[in-house]
Amino acid sequence: MGGTMTLEPVAESRCFEGRVARYRHRSEVLDCEMTSGIYLPPQAERRPVPVLYWLSGLTCTDENFMHKAGAQRVAAELGMAIVCPDTSPRGTDLPGEHESYDLGSGAGFYVNATQAPWSAHYRMYDYVVEELPAVVESRLPIGPARAISGHSMGGHGALICALREPRRYLSVSAFSPVVNPTEVPWGQKAFSHYLGDDPADWREWDACALIRERGSALPLRVEQGEADGFLGEQLQPERLAEACREAGVTLDLRERPGYDHSYYFIATFIDHHLRYHARALGIG
């Protein structure tokens, strides 16, 4: 996968002696053009560097994290690349794709859709786990040592990627993740459209269910703001804590008083997460 694909530079800026760039390529998995934001630290000018894949949340694009998180300074210090894919296929114009913020455009939920019309394009899991890494790691100075993180819907994505593919990643973390999507409105809406009406088919895309069924050799780190407006209805980190206790999985759940769901929260604690991943990647 990715053997014949090319990366087309869209934009590039110097940043902490490295470079922030946007690259476009044709995705075979999603059958559309996709754009990703990538930070390459200064060490990448001399050798391949390890990478953090960052998965963003509902309504975001590849640009939100690069513009708002303030991660480049520490990434440059550590010698860590950051790859930020988009959050859904683009330009497909499926029926109902642009009608709500929590389904379709900007809301791919990092699953492989099985239901028409979504299944023709909405295979974000395969894109994030297989196709995009194959493309960027073969064409840019990015090595095979990977970590994964994300926010909200993207925190859900990071957790399921690491739980389903533990050999691909050396570490995983999440900010304000949707940990039990089969039991909350965001997940139920998206999964019923993408995966069908049988909740039994949803469990393989639910972090709490995966932990109970498979456990996890990787420890999990989760950052959660206690003033998050989505905390009680959509996020419910206590469900993840319960699943981890039952399965004997190590969870470092850090609940932060006064912090909400915004990028101000992410910007406050992203340095901690980068250094956490750096230790697992062998550069911290």
Side-chain angles (χ1 to χ4, degrees), residues 159 163 172-173 211 215-222 240-241 243-253 276:
L159 291 173
L163 292 168
V172 57
S173 72
I211 287 167
S216 175
L218 287 176
L220 311 180
R221 175 162 178 175
V222 170
L240 182 67
C244 288
R245 280 194 301 270
E246 292 175 359
V249 171
T250 299
L251 169 65
D252 183 1
L253 173 59
Y276 171 77

Side-chain angles (χ1 to χ4, degrees), residues 7-10 19 21-25 34-36 38 140:
L7 279 176
E8 176 189 352
V10 176
R19 51 194 176 102
R22 299 182 75 209
Y23 288 94
R24 181 167 52 226
H25 75 102
M34 291 294 285
T35 302
S36 292
I38 299 177
L140 296 173

Side-chain angles (χ1 to χ4, degrees), residues 2-258:
T4 61
M5 293 184 190
T6 59
L7 279 176
E8 176 189 352
V10 176
E12 181 176 306
S13 297
R14 198 73 171 165
C15 185
F16 292 104
E17 303 307 318
R19 51 194 176 102
V20 173
R22 299 182 75 209
Y23 288 94
R24 181 167 52 226
H25 75 102
R26 176 76 187 179
S27 168
E28 296 173 358
V29 167
L30 306 179
D31 192 24
C32 65
E33 296 285 330
M34 291 294 285
T35 302
S36 292
I38 299 177
Y39 179 66
L40 292 173
Q43 295 86 341
E45 296 180 5
R46 302 186 297 274
R47 62 180 184 276
V49 295
V51 58
L52 173 70
Y53 287 90
W54 173 271
L55 308 184
S56 291
L58 288 167
T59 75
C60 289
T61 69
D62 63 284
E63 294 189 279
N64 293 72
F65 181 85
M66 289 296 181
H67 286 174
K68 297 180 178 181
Q72 293 90 346
R73 177 183 59 81
V74 171
E77 172 195 327
L78 295 169
M80 179 189 298
I82 303 175
V83 174
C84 301
D86 207 340
T87 54
S88 74
R90 299 291 176 173
T92 55
D93 294 324
L94 300 175
E97 188 177 19
H98 312 305
E99 293 178 2
S100 60
Y101 79 97
D102 53 358
L103 181 72
S105 297
F109 268 87
Y110 305 102
V111 303
N112 287 337
T114 59
Q115 304 299 302
W118 309 101
S119 55
H121 300 282
Y122 277 67
R123 301 184 61 83
M124 286 297 294
Y125 179 81
D126 281 352
Y127 178 71
V128 165
V129 170
E130 296 182 5
E131 185 179 48
L132 182 61
V135 173
V136 300
E137 291 171 19
S138 64
R139 288 156 181 78
L140 296 173
I142 294 175
R146 308 178 193 98
I148 191 164
S149 187
H151 173 233
S152 194
M153 176 187 74
H156 143 77
L159 291 173
I160 63 168
C161 288
L163 292 168
R164 289 168 57 106
E165 304 279 350
R167 295 183 180 180
R168 284 187 173 267
Y169 305 100
L170 294 175
S171 56
V172 57
S173 72
F175 286 77
S176 316
V178 183
V179 301
N180 198 190
T182 61
E183 301 294 335
V184 300
W186 276 342
Q188 291 170 339
K189 178 178 179 178
F191 286 9
S192 63
H193 284 81
Y194 297 150
L195 304 172
D197 294 329
D198 187 353
D201 295 332
W202 304 352
R203 291 180 60 81
E204 63 180 310
W205 306 105
D206 182 300
C208 289
L210 288 170
I211 287 167
R212 288 191 169 98
E213 293 169 7
R214 307 184 188 187
S216 175
L218 287 176
L220 311 180
R221 175 162 178 175
V222 170
E223 211 82 34
Q224 177 62 61
E226 292 184 350
D228 191 319
F230 300 112
L231 183 60
E233 184 179 27
Q234 305 284 7
L235 307 180
Q236 301 181 11
E238 68 275 5
R239 296 188 179 189
L240 182 67
E242 180 183 3
C244 288
R245 280 194 301 270
E246 292 175 359
V249 171
T250 299
L251 169 65
D252 183 1
L253 173 59
R254 302 193 177 195
E255 297 172 292
R256 304 293 189 173

Side-chain angles (χ1 to χ4, degrees), residues 78 80 170-171 221 254 271-284:
L78 295 169
M80 179 189 298
L170 294 175
S171 56
R221 175 162 178 175
R254 302 193 177 195
D271 290 7
H272 299 262
H273 283 245
L274 293 177
R275 296 189 189 282
Y276 171 77
H277 291 296
R279 290 191 290 272
L281 294 168
I283 55 174

